[in-house]
Amino acid sequence: MNIIVITGWGLGHHVLKPFVDLLEAEGHKVDLWDIFDPFHPKILAEKISRAEYSQLLIGWSLGGQLALYLAHTLQTQREIDLPVICCMSNPSFVAQAAWFEAMPQVQYQQFSKLMNSNPLKGLQRFCHLVTMGSEEPLKRAKTLQNNLSYIDLNYQKKHLYLLEQLDLREMLKNHASKILFLFSEQDQLVPCKVAEKVKYIAEDRIEIQILKGTHDRILFEPKLILERISNFLEMSISDEFEAF
């Protein structure tokens, strides 16, 4: 199976390498992407041209939004239906009207100010937010902070605005392909209550699974995520795609 995996904001694609290695060990061909700007026409066109040859889109955090954005664009523009797996993702990461299960605007503005003044300190803080609530938050945060040397800080700072601007509620409502949303009970960045809101938007086309753990589960416990994805494919779309 040809799979595209899109990472989340802030930590680059390197942190998802263990998850990708598991997919490749199962015989899949995986293309691992960093975040990108879907509002840039040339960038979106290039991503669409690559995504149309894939069979599955997987995204973590902001990457889940980008995977859904790609899938919906392929569906509406080229009539290509791809299943989407959104891991610890939110249709709107910053609180909007009638969508309060997200980062408050004030908190986002404070974090944005920190990123603009000191990107390294901002990402170090973000590592703590990603791991907060886990059994070893400080140890995990330190592991992620050690990976910051692989990251283009300015690239991440430039794309921070996507957390506020990407609001995919309407897109999710009108998307016709199968979607799996994975949420974590102790996630400090994507409240578990988002699951109820997502289910209400598109109950018949979305499968929702709630796991124990935090926002970083796919980074530190990728085997469990792979198991959930495999079960989803086998149960929901086994007639169209080769089972894991």
Side-chain angles (χ1 to χ4, degrees), residues 96-115:
Q96 310 285 347
W99 194 270
F100 304 110
E101 292 76 12
M103 180 186 296
Q105 282 282 347
V106 172
Q107 184 179 344
Y108 169 77
Q109 294 300 331
Q110 291 173 342
F111 185 72
S112 179
K113 183 177 180 180
L114 176 60
M115 279 298 300

Side-chain angles (χ1 to χ4, degrees), residues 68 71 75 80-84 174-179 205-206:
L68 177 59
Q75 188 177 83
I80 297 174
D81 290 334
L82 293 180
V84 182
N174 296 313
H175 189 67
S177 298
K178 286 285 187 179
I179 306 173
R205 290 174 285 104
I206 294 179

Side-chain angles (χ1 to χ4, degrees), residues 27-41:
H28 303 292
K29 182 178 180 181
V30 183
D31 197 359
L32 177 58
W33 293 2
D34 201 347
I35 57 172
F36 60 90
D37 191 341
F39 298 124
H40 192 296

Side-chain angles (χ1 to χ4, degrees), residues 131-140 186 212-214 216-217 221:
T131 62
M132 190 179 297
S134 68
E135 294 181 357
E136 299 179 304
L138 295 180
K139 181 179 179 180
R140 288 188 175 191
Q186 289 78 39
K212 293 182 179 179
T214 54
D216 63 1
R217 187 140 202 186
E221 301 169 90

